[in-house]
Amino acid sequence: MVQVKSLTNGRTTESDNSMSPDQPPMPPPSTTLWPNGRKVEVIGLTGDFGSGKTIFGLSICPGEKTLVYDFEKSSSAYQSLGFDRVDMADEMLRRLPKGYKPVDLFRWWYDHIRSIKPGQYTVIMVDPISEIEAGIVEYISERPQEFGLTPNQIRNSAGLMWGKMKDFWKSILQDIAARCETFVFTSHLRSVWKGNAPTGKKSAKGKETLMELASLYLWMDRKADEKGNVPDVPAANVLKSRLADHRFIDGELKWIDLLPPRLPKATPAAIRNYILNPPDFSKLKPSERFVE
């Protein structure tokens, strides 16, 4: 493991650059984040606790050009990386010491997002996103007329309310993505129920709007091997990816995926390496195949 230190605005920042030699180095913030001019505008990360979601987001562009809205204090252990961090719990306690509701949190966050100048940050991260979604519902319920609804429709027509919520959420996410090169959000997992009983399966929390807008959505894990050893670097199933080449082959437009169904190493460096060296889908490695 190589420790890389640099001086940023008078602060010494430290990052863990433990990528393998065959992976491209992290580009400086002044250059494009992804090789070959690729854009990865929205990244979604889900997985169990400890699966590496937070450190993935912080590793995309280590340093002061990354802004993190931390709702669960999960990024506090990595502050030596030098990113800008908003501790949402501390911020709300300072402003509303007698307590606050999700809508209070959303209002402050929404105003803060709109104060960011385009290009001010290269990466903006929300960790996790579920706290924001809860506040949006309350926000719409408080002002139905602004969304073309009546109070009666809010109370009695869940379908109308959720439709407005998704449209509003989509506009917010698009606004954030326009202010930076890559917007990252994390999401916890929830148990899937059928009827009144759990199925034993899990899925990512959050409205489908998140999946619709994501350029890349990863389900991360750090599964122990047969000896019980947990890997230092997580792997991930690729739930969605817009990273592809488009070529005309025999007169037909072909979509050629740049990522395999599963990332053996789910890191920004590994994704950059796949962009430069796409997988051969006729000869996928066992570690590159989707895992249920």
Side-chain angles (χ1 to χ4, degrees), residues 2 13 25 38 64 78 87 101 107 109 118 120-121 152 170 185 207 231 235 237 245 249 257 261-262 273 287:
V2 180
T13 63
R38 297 285 173 179
E64 63 178 0
Y78 308 110
D87 187 319
K101 299 181 295 184
R107 282 198 204 97
W109 175 82
Q120 183 176 346
Y121 292 101
N152 187 56
K170 185 175 183 179
F185 66 86
K207 295 299 174 189
N237 282 343
D245 276 338
I249 301 177
D257 288 311
R262 180 171 173 84
N273 191 49
S287 60

Side-chain angles (χ1 to χ4, degrees), residues 105-283:
L105 183 149
F106 169 73
R107 282 198 204 97
W108 185 89
W109 175 82
Y110 188 38
D111 287 341
H112 194 270
I113 281 289
R114 288 181 292 176
S115 72
I116 297 173
K117 297 178 181 178
Q120 183 176 346
Y121 292 101
T122 304
V123 174
I124 297 175
M125 180 176 177
V126 174
D127 186 19
I129 201 76
S130 54
E131 300 291 333
I132 296 298
E133 288 198 334
I136 293 177
V137 174
E138 290 187 17
Y139 184 84
I140 295 174
S141 297
E142 286 184 351
R143 44 179 58 75
Q145 290 84 358
E146 293 181 17
F147 295 88
L149 298 175
T150 65
N152 187 56
Q153 287 174 319
I154 289 287
R155 289 190 298 269
N156 301 318
S157 180
L160 284 174
M161 203 284 291
W162 286 118
K164 295 295 183 181
M165 184 270 188
K166 292 175 185 177
D167 290 343
F168 186 38
W169 197 199
K170 185 175 183 179
S171 69
I172 293 172
L173 294 172
Q174 290 173 329
D175 179 80
I176 300 172
R179 296 175 189 270
C180 60
E181 286 193 46
T182 296
F183 168 57
V184 186
F185 66 86
T186 69
S187 173
H188 292 309
L189 293 173
R190 62 178 179 86
S191 296
V192 177
W193 287 61
K194 186 174 182 179
N196 295 320
T199 63
K201 298 181 180 181
K202 293 183 178 181
S203 66
K205 286 185 177 180
K207 295 299 174 189
E208 56 266 29
T209 306
L210 298 172
M211 179 67 78
E212 291 170 3
L213 289 181
S215 310
L216 178 65
Y217 207 129
L218 304 178
W219 184 323
M220 304 181 70
D221 64 79
R222 298 173 72 181
K223 296 182 181 296
D225 61 19
E226 296 177 354
K227 297 181 179 180
N229 298 315
V230 178
D232 293 332
V233 179
N237 282 343
V238 180
L239 300 184
K240 178 183 178 181
S241 173
R242 289 179 178 157
L243 286 170
D245 276 338
H246 303 89
R247 304 172 190 169
F248 275 101
I249 301 177
D250 296 330
E252 292 187 9
L253 182 63
K254 300 291 185 180
W255 174 292
I256 302 172
D257 288 311
L258 299 182
L259 298 182
R262 180 171 173 84
L263 299 175
K265 292 186 177 181
T267 65
I271 290 170
R272 294 184 181 102
N273 191 49
Y274 272 116
I275 293 173
L276 294 172
N277 304 282
D280 183 348
F281 277 80
S282 66
K283 300 178 182 178

Side-chain angles (χ1 to χ4, degrees), residues 67-88:
L67 169 65
V68 179
Y69 293 99
D70 191 340
F71 287 83
E72 294 183 340
K73 300 186 180 294
S74 53
S75 65
S76 60
Y78 308 110
Q79 285 204 268
S80 61
L81 292 172
F83 54 90
D84 280 354
R85 174 175 178 263
V86 179
D87 187 319
M88 293 299 294

